[in-house]
Amino acid sequence: MEAVSPGFSILVADDSEDAAESLAMLLEFEGHQVVIALDGDAALAAAERVRPQIAILDIGMPGATGYEVARRIREAPWGRGMLLIAATGWGQDEDRRRALAAGFDRHLTKPMDATALAASLGTWLAEARARGAS
């Protein structure tokens, strides 16, 4: 993976602990600070507490769904500029439309290809920098 400027605060929320920890390790390897949440309610609480620049959210989590977490983040003044990425097993066109309508900027379908994920990370981080989130 190409090195990127470190230092982003990133929330990873997924009800699969293995998936959340694997993604967190990848991001931490690149120098980012990562907070993990294992359900939607914990994701929302972590987002409010940490106010990360980027949140990568599973959609089908217990408690609040990823859609609900994204909507509530976007309603908060501190969450309007956050880069929101849906990472989900739901990959139909309607799922992508729902993700965008809920406030997500990007939609990834699981299982995520490691090469595509690595390429996407650089793009996401560039978007976050452009938003002034460095």
Side-chain angles (χ1 to χ4, degrees):
M1 184 184 311
E2 181 179 313
V4 293
S5 298
F8 284 98
S9 173
I10 302 173
L11 169 63
V12 172
D14 196 314
D15 60 331
S16 167
E17 189 172 352
D18 288 343
E21 287 180 1
S22 295
L23 181 54
M25 286 190 318
L26 175 69
L27 294 166
E28 288 169 345
F29 178 76
E30 291 296 323
H32 305 289
Q33 298 172 333
V34 180
V35 173
I36 295 174
L38 300 177
D39 64 55
D41 297 330
L44 188 57
E48 289 179 82
R49 184 180 73 253
V50 176
R51 299 187 181 185
Q53 290 119 338
I54 301 170
I56 303 172
L57 308 173
D58 184 21
I59 298 297
M61 296 184 287
T65 67
Y67 295 130
E68 180 63 23
V69 174
R71 277 191 286 275
R72 292 185 56 194
I73 286 172
R74 288 294 189 227
E75 290 171 357
W78 51 263
R80 293 186 187 128
M82 189 183 303
L83 180 61
L84 295 181
I85 301 158
T88 178
W90 303 348
Q92 301 299 317
D93 288 340
E94 179 58 25
D95 300 319
R96 292 177 194 282
R97 282 191 290 277
R98 284 187 69 194
L100 294 175
F104 283 100
D105 299 294
R106 295 283 179 269
H107 182 278
L108 286 184
T109 303
K110 294 188 224 175
M112 292 182 273
D113 174 85
T115 304
L117 177 59
S120 296
L121 283 173
T123 301
W124 300 336
L125 297 174
E127 287 177 28
R129 278 189 209 92
R131 292 172 188 232
S134 57

mmCIF file of all heavy atoms in Angstrom, residues 47-80:
data_model
loop_
_atom_site.group_PDB
_atom_site.id
_atom_site.type_symbol
_atom_site.label_atom_id
_atom_site.label_comp_id
_atom_site.label_asym_id
_atom_site.label_seq_id
_atom_site.Cartn_x
_atom_site.Cartn_y
_atom_site.Cartn_z
ATOM 1 N N ALA A 47 -18.598 8.348 17.743
ATOM 2 C CA ALA A 47 -18.522 9.484 16.821
ATOM 3 C C ALA A 47 -18.733 10.793 17.572
ATOM 4 O O ALA A 47 -18.023 11.775 17.330
ATOM 5 C CB ALA A 47 -19.552 9.335 15.703
ATOM 6 N N GLU A 48 -19.692 10.813 18.488
ATOM 7 C CA GLU A 48 -19.951 12.022 19.272
ATOM 8 C C GLU A 48 -18.776 12.352 20.185
ATOM 9 O O GLU A 48 -18.418 13.508 20.352
ATOM 10 C CB GLU A 48 -21.230 11.854 20.096
ATOM 11 C CG GLU A 48 -22.478 11.856 19.238
ATOM 12 C CD GLU A 48 -23.737 11.675 20.067
ATOM 13 O OE1 GLU A 48 -24.210 12.667 20.635
ATOM 14 O OE2 GLU A 48 -24.230 10.537 20.134
ATOM 15 N N ARG A 49 -18.177 11.334 20.775
ATOM 16 C CA ARG A 49 -17.079 11.530 21.721
ATOM 17 C C ARG A 49 -15.773 11.905 21.012
ATOM 18 O O ARG A 49 -15.095 12.853 21.391
ATOM 19 C CB ARG A 49 -16.884 10.255 22.544
ATOM 20 C CG ARG A 49 -15.827 10.361 23.634
ATOM 21 C CD ARG A 49 -15.673 9.052 24.415
ATOM 22 N NE ARG A 49 -14.996 8.030 23.619
ATOM 23 C CZ ARG A 49 -15.578 6.964 23.089
ATOM 24 N NH1 ARG A 49 -16.863 6.738 23.248
ATOM 25 N NH2 ARG A 49 -14.884 6.085 22.378
ATOM 26 N N VAL A 50 -15.425 11.162 19.958
ATOM 27 C CA VAL A 50 -14.135 11.311 19.291
ATOM 28 C C VAL A 50 -14.175 12.360 18.172
ATOM 29 O O VAL A 50 -13.191 13.035 17.914
ATOM 30 C CB VAL A 50 -13.663 9.949 18.724
ATOM 31 C CG1 VAL A 50 -12.379 10.079 17.944
ATOM 32 C CG2 VAL A 50 -13.526 8.938 19.847
ATOM 33 N N ARG A 51 -15.325 12.454 17.502
ATOM 34 C CA ARG A 51 -15.490 13.334 16.339
ATOM 35 C C ARG A 51 -14.402 13.091 15.290
ATOM 36 O O ARG A 51 -13.618 13.976 14.952
ATOM 37 C CB ARG A 51 -15.545 14.793 16.771
ATOM 38 C CG ARG A 51 -16.730 15.032 17.689
ATOM 39 C CD ARG A 51 -16.931 16.465 18.022
ATOM 40 N NE ARG A 51 -18.078 16.573 18.924
ATOM 41 C CZ ARG A 51 -18.576 17.708 19.331
ATOM 42 N NH1 ARG A 51 -18.054 18.835 18.926
ATOM 43 N NH2 ARG A 51 -19.615 17.728 20.134
ATOM 44 N N PRO A 52 -14.370 11.858 14.777
ATOM 45 C CA PRO A 52 -13.330 11.513 13.804
ATOM 46 C C PRO A 52 -13.528 12.252 12.485
ATOM 47 O O PRO A 52 -14.613 12.736 12.187
ATOM 48 C CB PRO A 52 -13.535 10.007 13.617
ATOM 49 C CG PRO A 52 -14.999 9.819 13.864
ATOM 50 C CD PRO A 52 -15.333 10.788 14.968
ATOM 51 N N GLN A 53 -12.465 12.309 11.711
ATOM 52 C CA GLN A 53 -12.557 12.916 10.387
ATOM 53 C C GLN A 53 -13.184 11.960 9.379
ATOM 54 O O GLN A 53 -13.780 12.391 8.403
ATOM 55 C CB GLN A 53 -11.168 13.348 9.893
ATOM 56 C CG GLN A 53 -10.629 14.517 10.667
ATOM 57 C CD GLN A 53 -9.331 14.183 11.376
ATOM 58 O OE1 GLN A 53 -9.014 13.032 11.644
ATOM 59 N NE2 GLN A 53 -8.572 15.215 11.697
ATOM 60 N N ILE A 54 -13.031 10.655 9.632
ATOM 61 C CA ILE A 54 -13.534 9.623 8.722
ATOM 62 C C ILE A 54 -14.242 8.553 9.549
ATOM 63 O O ILE A 54 -13.751 8.176 10.617
ATOM 64 C CB ILE A 54 -12.378 8.968 7.928
ATOM 65 C CG1 ILE A 54 -11.616 10.026 7.119
ATOM 66 C CG2 ILE A 54 -12.905 7.860 7.010
ATOM 67 C CD1 ILE A 54 -10.324 9.519 6.510
ATOM 68 N N ALA A 55 -15.380 8.080 9.055
ATOM 69 C CA ALA A 55 -16.062 6.950 9.693
ATOM 70 C C ALA A 55 -16.372 5.910 8.620
ATOM 71 O O ALA A 55 -16.926 6.234 7.567
ATOM 72 C CB ALA A 55 -17.353 7.393 10.377
ATOM 73 N N ILE A 56 -15.977 4.669 8.890
ATOM 74 C CA ILE A 56 -16.253 3.549 8.004
ATOM 75 C C ILE A 56 -17.248 2.671 8.754
ATOM 76 O O ILE A 56 -16.908 2.074 9.778
ATOM 77 C CB ILE A 56 -14.966 2.777 7.658
ATOM 78 C CG1 ILE A 56 -13.940 3.729 7.030
ATOM 79 C CG2 ILE A 56 -15.279 1.607 6.715
ATOM 80 C CD1 ILE A 56 -12.560 3.120 6.836
ATOM 81 N N LEU A 57 -18.489 2.635 8.262
ATOM 82 C CA LEU A 57 -19.584 2.021 8.995
ATOM 83 C C LEU A 57 -20.197 0.849 8.244
ATOM 84 O O LEU A 57 -20.550 0.975 7.069
ATOM 85 C CB LEU A 57 -20.697 3.049 9.234
ATOM 86 C CG LEU A 57 -20.314 4.381 9.864
ATOM 87 C CD1 LEU A 57 -21.505 5.333 9.866
ATOM 88 C CD2 LEU A 57 -19.784 4.173 11.277
ATOM 89 N N ASP A 58 -20.367 -0.259 8.951
ATOM 90 C CA ASP A 58 -21.161 -1.368 8.449
ATOM 91 C C ASP A 58 -22.619 -0.910 8.478
ATOM 92 O O ASP A 58 -22.995 -0.080 9.303
ATOM 93 C CB ASP A 58 -20.947 -2.585 9.347
ATOM 94 C CG ASP A 58 -21.661 -3.836 8.873
ATOM 95 O OD1 ASP A 58 -22.005 -3.925 7.686
ATOM 96 O OD2 ASP A 58 -21.869 -4.728 9.716
ATOM 97 N N ILE A 59 -23.447 -1.419 7.594
ATOM 98 C CA ILE A 59 -24.862 -1.034 7.574
ATOM 99 C C ILE A 59 -25.680 -1.907 8.521
ATOM 100 O O ILE A 59 -26.455 -1.408 9.324
ATOM 101 C CB ILE A 59 -25.445 -1.139 6.143
ATOM 102 C CG1 ILE A 59 -24.721 -0.188 5.200
ATOM 103 C CG2 ILE A 59 -26.947 -0.861 6.152
ATOM 104 C CD1 ILE A 59 -24.853 1.271 5.519
ATOM 105 N N GLY A 60 -25.525 -3.220 8.448
ATOM 106 C CA GLY A 60 -26.366 -4.141 9.208
ATOM 107 C C GLY A 60 -25.843 -4.445 10.587
ATOM 108 O O GLY A 60 -25.546 -5.596 10.886
ATOM 109 N N MET A 61 -25.743 -3.438 11.432
ATOM 110 C CA MET A 61 -25.271 -3.640 12.803
ATOM 111 C C MET A 61 -26.447 -3.715 13.767
ATOM 112 O O MET A 61 -27.507 -3.149 13.497
ATOM 113 C CB MET A 61 -24.371 -2.479 13.228
ATOM 114 C CG MET A 61 -23.090 -2.344 12.436
ATOM 115 S SD MET A 61 -22.030 -1.021 13.061
ATOM 116 C CE MET A 61 -22.913 0.449 12.508
ATOM 117 N N PRO A 62 -26.252 -4.387 14.893
ATOM 118 C CA PRO A 62 -27.276 -4.357 15.945
ATOM 119 C C PRO A 62 -27.424 -2.945 16.502
ATOM 120 O O PRO A 62 -26.507 -2.131 16.389
ATOM 121 C CB PRO A 62 -26.716 -5.296 17.022
ATOM 122 C CG PRO A 62 -25.540 -5.976 16.447
ATOM 123 C CD PRO A 62 -25.113 -5.209 15.249
ATOM 124 N N GLY A 63 -28.554 -2.680 17.115
ATOM 125 C CA GLY A 63 -28.810 -1.321 17.611
ATOM 126 C C GLY A 63 -29.138 -0.446 16.420
ATOM 127 O O GLY A 63 -29.830 -0.865 15.501
ATOM 128 N N ALA A 64 -28.629 0.748 16.406
ATOM 129 C CA ALA A 64 -28.836 1.641 15.267
ATOM 130 C C ALA A 64 -28.126 1.068 14.040
ATOM 131 O O ALA A 64 -26.997 0.605 14.133
ATOM 132 C CB ALA A 64 -28.306 3.036 15.586
ATOM 133 N N THR A 65 -28.805 1.080 12.901
ATOM 134 C CA THR A 65 -28.158 0.624 11.664
ATOM 135 C C THR A 65 -27.135 1.661 11.216
ATOM 136 O O THR A 65 -27.144 2.805 11.676
ATOM 137 C CB THR A 65 -29.175 0.444 10.529
ATOM 138 O OG1 THR A 65 -29.691 1.730 10.179
ATOM 139 C CG2 THR A 65 -30.292 -0.510 10.916
ATOM 140 N N GLY A 66 -26.278 1.259 10.294
ATOM 141 C CA GLY A 66 -25.315 2.210 9.733
ATOM 142 C C GLY A 66 -26.008 3.385 9.077
ATOM 143 O O GLY A 66 -25.516 4.521 9.126
ATOM 144 N N TYR A 67 -27.174 3.148 8.459
ATOM 145 C CA TYR A 67 -27.934 4.253 7.855
ATOM 146 C C TYR A 67 -28.319 5.275 8.923
ATOM 147 O O TYR A 67 -28.192 6.481 8.723
ATOM 148 C CB TYR A 67 -29.218 3.740 7.195
ATOM 149 C CG TYR A 67 -29.035 2.821 6.021
ATOM 150 C CD1 TYR A 67 -29.721 1.607 5.979
ATOM 151 C CD2 TYR A 67 -28.232 3.160 4.940
ATOM 152 C CE1 TYR A 67 -29.594 0.753 4.892
ATOM 153 C CE2 TYR A 67 -28.101 2.298 3.858
ATOM 154 C CZ TYR A 67 -28.782 1.099 3.832
ATOM 155 O OH TYR A 67 -28.656 0.264 2.759
ATOM 156 N N GLU A 68 -28.824 4.784 10.049
ATOM 157 C CA GLU A 68 -29.249 5.669 11.130
ATOM 158 C C GLU A 68 -28.052 6.413 11.728
ATOM 159 O O GLU A 68 -28.125 7.613 12.007
ATOM 160 C CB GLU A 68 -29.984 4.893 12.222
ATOM 161 C CG GLU A 68 -30.447 5.758 13.379
ATOM 162 C CD GLU A 68 -31.456 6.832 13.005
ATOM 163 O OE1 GLU A 68 -32.157 6.703 11.977
ATOM 164 O OE2 GLU A 68 -31.533 7.840 13.743
ATOM 165 N N VAL A 69 -26.948 5.714 11.909
ATOM 166 C CA VAL A 69 -25.742 6.359 12.439
ATOM 167 C C VAL A 69 -25.299 7.473 11.495
ATOM 168 O O VAL A 69 -25.003 8.593 11.926
ATOM 169 C CB VAL A 69 -24.609 5.330 12.660
ATOM 170 C CG1 VAL A 69 -23.313 6.028 13.065
ATOM 171 C CG2 VAL A 69 -25.013 4.306 13.717
ATOM 172 N N ALA A 70 -25.276 7.198 10.192
ATOM 173 C CA ALA A 70 -24.874 8.215 9.212
ATOM 174 C C ALA A 70 -25.805 9.420 9.257
ATOM 175 O O ALA A 70 -25.344 10.574 9.263
ATOM 176 C CB ALA A 70 -24.846 7.618 7.806
ATOM 177 N N ARG A 71 -27.117 9.169 9.295
ATOM 178 C CA ARG A 71 -28.080 10.284 9.351
ATOM 179 C C ARG A 71 -27.858 11.150 10.585
ATOM 180 O O ARG A 71 -27.851 12.381 10.505
ATOM 181 C CB ARG A 71 -29.514 9.755 9.344
ATOM 182 C CG ARG A 71 -30.048 9.431 7.970
ATOM 183 C CD ARG A 71 -31.552 9.180 7.996
ATOM 184 N NE ARG A 71 -31.880 7.899 8.590
ATOM 185 C CZ ARG A 71 -31.903 6.749 7.929
ATOM 186 N NH1 ARG A 71 -31.626 6.720 6.638
ATOM 187 N NH2 ARG A 71 -32.213 5.619 8.539
ATOM 188 N N ARG A 72 -27.655 10.491 11.720
ATOM 189 C CA ARG A 72 -27.493 11.243 12.964
ATOM 190 C C ARG A 72 -26.163 11.999 12.993
ATOM 191 O O ARG A 72 -26.094 13.111 13.507
ATOM 192 C CB ARG A 72 -27.665 10.320 14.152
ATOM 193 C CG ARG A 72 -29.149 9.862 14.188
ATOM 194 C CD ARG A 72 -29.538 9.051 15.353
ATOM 195 N NE ARG A 72 -29.282 9.684 16.640
ATOM 196 C CZ ARG A 72 -29.303 9.014 17.776
ATOM 197 N NH1 ARG A 72 -29.576 7.721 17.788
ATOM 198 N NH2 ARG A 72 -29.065 9.627 18.910
ATOM 199 N N ILE A 73 -25.119 11.420 12.418
ATOM 200 C CA ILE A 73 -23.840 12.136 12.314
ATOM 201 C C ILE A 73 -24.026 13.375 11.447
ATOM 202 O O ILE A 73 -23.571 14.467 11.791
ATOM 203 C CB ILE A 73 -22.736 11.222 11.745
ATOM 204 C CG1 ILE A 73 -22.292 10.214 12.809
ATOM 205 C CG2 ILE A 73 -21.548 12.046 11.242
ATOM 206 C CD1 ILE A 73 -21.335 9.147 12.300
ATOM 207 N N ARG A 74 -24.701 13.227 10.313
ATOM 208 C CA ARG A 74 -24.894 14.356 9.398
ATOM 209 C C ARG A 74 -25.754 15.466 10.007
ATOM 210 O O ARG A 74 -25.629 16.619 9.641
ATOM 211 C CB ARG A 74 -25.523 13.888 8.089
ATOM 212 C CG ARG A 74 -24.581 13.104 7.218
ATOM 213 C CD ARG A 74 -23.443 13.994 6.726
ATOM 214 N NE ARG A 74 -22.675 13.271 5.729
ATOM 215 C CZ ARG A 74 -21.362 13.196 5.721
ATOM 216 N NH1 ARG A 74 -20.653 13.802 6.633
ATOM 217 N NH2 ARG A 74 -20.742 12.512 4.778
ATOM 218 N N GLU A 75 -26.632 15.125 10.950
ATOM 219 C CA GLU A 75 -27.467 16.126 11.612
ATOM 220 C C GLU A 75 -26.668 16.999 12.574
ATOM 221 O O GLU A 75 -27.067 18.132 12.853
ATOM 222 C CB GLU A 75 -28.609 15.453 12.381
ATOM 223 C CG GLU A 75 -29.656 14.829 11.490
ATOM 224 C CD GLU A 75 -30.662 13.990 12.260
ATOM 225 O OE1 GLU A 75 -30.520 13.840 13.503
ATOM 226 O OE2 GLU A 75 -31.596 13.474 11.611
ATOM 227 N N ALA A 76 -25.568 16.479 13.091
ATOM 228 C CA ALA A 76 -24.757 17.216 14.056
ATOM 229 C C ALA A 76 -23.816 18.173 13.326
ATOM 230 O O ALA A 76 -23.234 17.807 12.307
ATOM 231 C CB ALA A 76 -23.942 16.239 14.897
ATOM 232 N N PRO A 77 -23.656 19.386 13.823
ATOM 233 C CA PRO A 77 -22.740 20.338 13.169
ATOM 234 C C PRO A 77 -21.335 19.772 12.995
ATOM 235 O O PRO A 77 -20.714 19.975 11.953
ATOM 236 C CB PRO A 77 -22.746 21.543 14.108
ATOM 237 C CG PRO A 77 -24.039 21.447 14.856
ATOM 238 C CD PRO A 77 -24.330 19.968 14.979
ATOM 239 N N TRP A 78 -20.846 19.030 13.959
ATOM 240 C CA TRP A 78 -19.499 18.457 13.882
ATOM 241 C C TRP A 78 -19.408 17.314 12.877
ATOM 242 O O TRP A 78 -18.311 16.925 12.493
ATOM 243 C CB TRP A 78 -19.024 17.985 15.257
ATOM 244 C CG TRP A 78 -19.990 17.098 15.961
ATOM 245 C CD1 TRP A 78 -20.898 17.468 16.912
ATOM 246 C CD2 TRP A 78 -20.172 15.692 15.772
ATOM 247 N NE1 TRP A 78 -21.637 16.378 17.318
ATOM 248 C CE2 TRP A 78 -21.207 15.271 16.643
ATOM 249 C CE3 TRP A 78 -19.570 14.734 14.963
ATOM 250 C CZ2 TRP A 78 -21.647 13.956 16.713
ATOM 251 C CZ3 TRP A 78 -20.009 13.424 15.032
ATOM 252 C CH2 TRP A 78 -21.028 13.045 15.897
ATOM 253 N N GLY A 79 -20.531 16.754 12.439
ATOM 254 C CA GLY A 79 -20.505 15.606 11.542
ATOM 255 C C GLY A 79 -20.757 15.913 10.086
ATOM 256 O O GLY A 79 -20.661 15.038 9.233
ATOM 257 N N ARG A 80 -21.064 17.154 9.786
ATOM 258 C CA ARG A 80 -21.418 17.492 8.395
ATOM 259 C C ARG A 80 -20.261 17.334 7.426
ATOM 260 O O ARG A 80 -20.461 16.975 6.277
ATOM 261 C CB ARG A 80 -21.994 18.904 8.344
ATOM 262 C CG ARG A 80 -23.330 18.963 9.055
ATOM 263 C CD ARG A 80 -24.025 20.285 8.919
ATOM 264 N NE ARG A 80 -25.206 20.271 9.780
ATOM 265 C CZ ARG A 80 -25.484 21.198 10.675
ATOM 266 N NH1 ARG A 80 -24.694 22.244 10.813
ATOM 267 N NH2 ARG A 80 -26.559 21.101 11.422
#
